[in-house]
Amino acid sequence: MPHADQWLLDTEQQITPLARWQKAVDLTAQLFNTPVCLIVQRRNQGHQIAVASQHKANPYSAGALLSACTEALSNQALTRNSLLYFANKGQHPDWLTQSMQPSPLFASFLATPAYWPDGKSFGTLCLLDFAPTHYSNTLLALINQQKESIETDLLLVQQYDQIRQLAACDDQTGLTNLPGFLAMATQRVNLARHNREALGLVYLQLNGLNRLREQQGTALAATVLKGVAHTLQLHIRDNDLAARVDDNAFAILTRLKSPAALKQIGQRITCSLPDIIAASDTEQRCWLSYSTQLINNFNQPFEFWLDQAHNTAAQCSEPPSLIAP
């Protein structure tokens, strides 16, 4: 199960929409007028907070483990597979009141369970307050909607990882081939639309490969391809997609923090290529040209953006970086 055996916070680059979850818990805390709203992940090691509401009275923060009392509430919600709500201390059951609570004591507890698509426990959405609460049925229904939104996100993450695992591999380079890349990229675009993320595409054209293959043979051409593929793998993040999309072309789909990052990826790769061609004739050298494409309209199919990037890269006639002898 993707991510089920690791903390979501362990991976620096991930596709789980933690930024959107942060906005959701902050808004939920405001609507419920409570300082503490948490999305909690359960593993054998305990219950870790994936996201915590940003309130000065919230004693919890992302990455921390729950206290014994709050962990007991989270566990019970998952075990019973139902929302648990105790509005005040007088309603606290024995298993909750006997747990060691931090100081100051919480008076009101609410937890609702969330699950991975295969039914395995993911964790809980929790609301805690230092004072008694009186949540209406409408507010409790809203909590259920928030829980379903979390489970929808988990489903999208799982589907993406399943496609990634099943994607076909290019025999020569070990990268994903074009059909696999299109399948994964389409799912990744769907995730980006759902999570309101920015995506970018880097298209790299290996020029001169056909001439090199004709004049010096397929073995050297294969070495060049493997060298480029290895360089790509060294310069991409865990959740970037890299593929060989044509005989002499590669593509990288990446999540963006800024549009400028796209050009930096292309420059970093073309400047980092190793000396892998043992040829003295300059005309037999290969070089990479690249283009970048910001994906700014999710209504267009991914193939449209790939074609746009290919057409731009093909226009480059001067070698910006030589794979030198």
Side-chain angles (χ1 to χ4, degrees):
M1 167 63 65
H3 298 303
D5 59 350
Q6 65 180 12
W7 296 122
L8 293 179
L9 300 182
D10 279 352
T11 305
E12 180 181 355
Q13 301 295 337
Q14 52 190 306
I15 59 174
T16 309
L18 295 180
R20 190 163 59 79
W21 283 5
Q22 183 67 62
K23 293 179 182 178
V25 299
D26 287 338
L27 179 59
T28 301
Q30 292 177 27
L31 291 173
F32 282 75
N33 193 29
T34 184
V36 184
C37 182
L38 312 170
I39 295 178
V40 177
Q41 182 184 5
R42 181 174 77 172
R43 291 179 61 209
N44 293 335
Q45 297 92 325
H47 292 235
Q48 186 187 61
I49 299 167
V51 180
S53 54
Q54 297 174 331
H55 191 286
K56 61 182 181 181
N58 186 355
Y60 289 119
S61 59
L65 295 178
L66 290 180
S67 64
C69 180
T70 312
E71 181 175 328
L73 176 76
S74 184
N75 263 326
Q76 284 288 333
L78 285 164
T79 300
R80 300 184 184 189
N81 188 22
S82 64
L83 182 146
L84 296 180
Y85 172 40
F86 305 109
N88 56 67
K89 293 179 181 178
Q91 294 182 356
H92 292 180
D94 290 341
W95 55 262
L96 188 56
T97 55
Q98 291 173 2
S99 300
M100 294 181 60
Q101 291 195 47
S103 181
L105 303 179
F106 289 113
S108 174
F109 292 85
L110 182 150
T112 189
Y115 297 90
W116 288 98
D118 68 348
K120 292 182 180 179
S121 299
F122 166 74
T124 52
L125 174 63
C126 296
L127 287 172
L128 310 173
D129 206 317
F130 302 111
T133 58
H134 305 279
Y135 299 146
S136 66
N137 289 335
T138 301
L139 285 176
L140 295 180
L142 176 61
I143 282 293
N144 188 60
Q145 288 298 311
Q146 295 283 56
K147 161 259 184 77
E148 291 181 359
S149 177
I150 293 171
E151 292 179 335
T152 298
D153 290 334
L154 296 175
L155 173 62
L156 291 172
V157 169
Q158 185 197 45
Q159 289 176 339
Y160 171 77
D161 279 352
Q162 287 175 338
I163 292 174
R164 188 171 186 168
Q165 292 169 12
L166 294 172
C169 196
D170 176 63
D171 291 338
Q172 283 189 290
T173 64
L175 297 176
T176 303
N177 65 17
L178 179 59
F181 182 63
L182 292 176
M184 288 194 298
T186 299
Q187 183 65 16
R188 188 67 185 87
V189 168
N190 290 336
L191 272 169
R193 180 190 296 112
H194 183 73
N195 298 338
R196 298 180 182 178
E197 295 174 341
L199 291 180
L201 183 66
V202 180
Y203 192 98
L204 300 116
Q205 186 90 32
L206 183 57
N207 303 283
L209 182 67
N210 291 336
R211 183 176 62 249
L212 178 72
R213 185 183 288 118
E214 292 172 358
Q215 296 181 1
Q216 298 206 26
T218 58
L220 184 57
T223 300
V224 173
L225 287 170
K226 291 177 182 178
V228 174
H230 180 66
T231 302
L232 262 63
Q233 291 169 326
L234 291 176
H235 288 86
I236 63 173
R237 301 169 301 184
D238 288 345
N239 289 297
D240 291 341
L241 301 180
R244 183 185 180 193
V245 295
D246 201 350
D247 179 57
N248 61 343
F250 303 83
I252 301 169
L253 181 64
T254 182
R255 184 175 64 178
L256 294 178
K257 291 184 178 179
S258 69
L262 268 179
K263 188 174 182 180
Q264 293 171 1
I265 294 173
Q267 290 175 337
R268 190 166 64 244
I269 291 173
T270 54
C271 292
S272 302
L273 288 168
D275 297 337
I276 54 177
I277 297 184
S280 57
D281 187 347
T282 302
E283 293 183 356
Q284 295 176 357
R285 295 176 179 177
C286 296
W287 72 91
L288 277 177
S289 57
Y290 74 90
S291 67
T292 60
Q293 182 68 56
L294 178 65
I295 298 177
N296 53 15
N297 182 355
F298 290 142
N299 292 323
Q300 291 283 5
F302 178 73
E303 289 87 342
F304 168 83
W305 300 112
L306 191 62
D307 287 342
Q308 291 286 103
H310 163 74
N311 293 336
T312 304
Q315 295 172 6
C316 180
S317 59
E318 295 297 325
S321 176
L322 291 178
I323 305 177

